[in-house]
Amino acid sequence: MFKHLFKMIWNKKKQNSLLIVEILLSFMVIFGVFSFALNSYNNYAKPMGFNYNHVWAISYNHTLETQNPDSVTLVYQTLLRNIKSMPQVVNAGYHSGNVPFANNHNTTGLTQKGVEVTGINNFFADENYINTMGTTMFSGRWYNKTDPVIKSEVIVVNKMLAEKLFGKADAVGKMLGDNVKTRQRIIGVINDIKTDGDYQRPAYALYNRHDTASYKWMGKILVKVTPDADAAFEGKLYKLMANTFKNSNIEIEHLDNRLVAYNKFTLVPLIILSIVAAFLIINVALGIFGVLWYNINKRRGEIGLRRAVGAPGAAVSLQLVSEAMILATLSLIIGAFFAVQFPLLNVFDLPASVYLFAMLFAVIFIYLLVLVCSLYPGKQAAAIYPAVALHEE
């Protein structure tokens, strides 16, 4: 039976080629949608790694007129003490501009034993970061006030980077980098945090200890507040900042609000892909309907003759449905060849399991789509009466 069906499809290869291409394109787009969706879901299922609730990010410009380093340090330290002394403040600390969900990235790279690692997020924070953000250390410790007097430079890395560089071995105490002049000793490994929203995975990260020379360009203060902190307190906080930095552009943002906005921005590509996939699915569905309907009208004499010699209606319907499924199979074989290249070549640096499951779901989806679209035309073919079909012929 299958040999006969293949022969019939081959005899109409020009007619079926367009449908094969449509199904192939739909498979590739749906494969992309499922890959994006599965990767986003896997990232969403992972913990955020820190508590962003009731954390505010204050943006400011350095507008102090004094250039004396001691005076600048005194102003910034006094400001931080004043913020911490407010009743609704749990903790606060200075941070570089790339705070979570700010869409601001400062990336760098390094070489460790000849292995180059790029795309590392470079953060600068003070000793208050851990308590303010509510994150935890995987091993080692965070910075404290004694670190600036240590002769050798120290650094904190996240768990993801530590595993990349040192595998399962403890990274604490090891030297980071191959350049002798810029090497740093790792004093702690912090647990991974997702700074780019719920749907993005954590990235490699370096956490640098900010010093007094960093005050002029840090640009952010992270403030952990109590749940009862309201608009009135926010006004007081803004006034304190405005009195310290005259003519400065001061903005107070809530990280939970920033997260909602960032998540919406992240989902835009998935929405666009879904819309494109929907149009292609509709196009393929109409194509299958059209081709099968055309086949029924062109082959009414053939169908009537088969019915006249005793073929049941179910067999006629099965033939048309089987032809459509074989066309889908030919398209999927070609599509699977291209799709399997993604995990083999590590395209977009996604886990291989994401691509494999996306491929499986896309194959199942295409088969279901073709089956549903071919059932009704097959039923119509089975309802053709032999006498009527042969009389028309």
Side-chain angles (χ1 to χ4, degrees):
M1 176 182 177
F2 286 105
K3 182 179 179 181
H4 176 68
L5 291 176
F6 274 112
K7 186 176 181 181
M8 295 179 63
I9 292 173
W10 177 255
N11 291 335
K12 299 177 182 179
K13 52 183 175 294
K14 291 184 178 180
Q15 178 182 334
N16 295 325
S17 60
L18 181 60
L19 185 59
I20 291 176
V21 172
E22 288 180 347
I23 297 176
L24 173 62
L25 291 177
S26 297
F27 169 78
M28 295 306 297
V29 173
I30 294 170
F31 168 71
V33 171
F34 276 123
S35 298
F36 197 110
L38 287 172
N39 183 59
S40 298
Y41 175 77
N42 288 342
N43 293 334
Y44 181 82
K46 295 178 181 178
M48 186 66 72
F50 70 102
N51 186 6
Y52 56 85
N53 291 313
H54 310 300
V55 177
W56 298 356
I58 308 175
S59 304
Y60 61 90
N61 303 110
H62 178 78
T63 58
L64 298 180
E65 295 181 358
T66 178
Q67 299 298 320
N68 184 276
D70 294 334
S71 300
V72 171
T73 300
L74 180 61
V75 170
Y76 279 95
Q77 291 180 348
T78 302
L79 172 63
L80 189 61
R81 283 196 298 268
N82 290 337
I83 293 176
K84 287 184 174 183
S85 65
M86 302 179 79
Q88 291 88 351
V89 173
V90 178
N91 212 323
Y94 289 102
H95 195 280
S96 50
N98 52 345
V99 296
F101 324 135
N103 199 22
N104 183 344
H105 298 86
N106 177 11
T107 58
T108 185
L110 60 86
T111 303
Q112 184 77 20
K113 294 184 178 179
V115 177
E116 184 177 1
V117 183
T118 59
I120 304 174
N121 284 333
N122 209 19
F123 299 102
F124 290 82
D126 59 17
E127 66 272 8
N128 303 295
Y129 179 83
I130 288 289
N131 294 329
T132 303
M133 295 294 287
T135 187
T136 56
M137 299 296 297
F138 176 74
S139 63
R141 63 174 179 85
W142 185 254
Y143 298 107
N144 55 46
K145 294 183 178 180
T146 64
D147 287 325
V149 301
I150 298 178
K151 184 177 181 180
S152 61
E153 293 190 27
V154 294
I155 192 72
V156 172
V157 302
N158 70 339
K159 182 181 177 183
M160 186 175 176
L161 181 58
E163 292 181 350
K164 173 69 175 179
L165 299 177
F166 306 105
K168 297 299 182 180
D170 189 6
V172 176
K174 290 183 169 59
M175 301 303 294
L176 184 69
D178 290 342
N179 192 331
V180 178
K181 295 181 179 180
T182 60
R183 294 177 71 184
Q184 297 169 295
R185 183 171 57 85
I186 300 174
I187 62 171
V189 178
I190 191 172
N191 284 312
D192 299 329
I193 67 173
K194 296 191 291 186
T195 59
D196 290 327
D198 284 315
Y199 303 104
Q200 297 289 338
R201 62 178 178 176
Y204 301 131
L206 293 173
Y207 293 86
N208 300 272
R209 172 72 160 92
H210 115 94
D211 54 26
T212 56
S214 307
Y215 281 126
K216 293 183 179 181
W217 56 266
M218 291 290 279
K220 297 282 187 180
I221 300 178
L222 292 175
V223 182
K224 178 75 171 181
V225 299
T226 58
D228 62 342
D230 53 11
F233 167 71
E234 187 173 341
K236 295 179 181 178
L237 187 58
Y238 181 91
K239 186 176 180 180
L240 174 61
M241 294 294 301
N243 290 334
T244 303
F245 301 107
K246 306 293 184 181
N247 303 319
S248 175
N249 296 322
I250 297 170
E251 183 179 5
I252 301 177
E253 295 181 297
H254 300 193
L255 290 191
D256 52 353
N257 295 336
R258 287 293 308 167
L259 175 61
V260 174
Y262 204 96
N263 284 342
K264 291 180 180 179
F265 176 77
T266 305
L267 291 176
V268 168
L270 179 59
I271 295 173
I272 294 175
L273 271 176
S274 300
I275 294 174
V276 173
F279 277 110
L280 276 175
I281 290 169
I282 294 173
N283 187 41
V284 170
L286 293 175
I288 295 172
F289 269 116
V291 169
L292 294 181
W293 197 268
Y294 177 79
N295 286 342
I296 291 172
N297 291 328
K298 292 289 290 184
R299 298 162 61 183
R300 290 180 68 87
E302 173 195 335
I303 294 173
L305 181 60
R306 289 194 62 195
R307 295 296 309 276
V309 297
V316 175
S317 177
L318 179 62
Q319 177 185 342
L320 292 176
V321 173
S322 299
E323 288 180 11
M325 298 300 285
I326 291 175
L327 287 175
T329 302
L330 295 176
S331 300
L332 292 175
I333 291 174
I334 301 173
F337 171 78
F338 290 105
V340 78
Q341 306 304 315
F342 283 77
L344 293 178
L345 300 177
N346 197 24
V347 181
F348 303 124
D349 196 27
L350 298 181
S353 59
V354 170
Y355 289 125
L356 296 178
F357 277 108
M359 193 186 313
L360 175 63
F361 292 154
V363 168
I364 294 174
F365 185 89
I366 290 295
Y367 272 132
L368 290 176
L369 175 67
V370 174
L371 178 62
V372 170
C373 293
S374 60
L375 284 177
Y376 183 74
K379 182 179 179 182
Q380 292 296 105
I384 295 177
Y385 290 101
V388 175
L390 294 176
H391 176 73
E392 293 177 353
E393 188 67 20

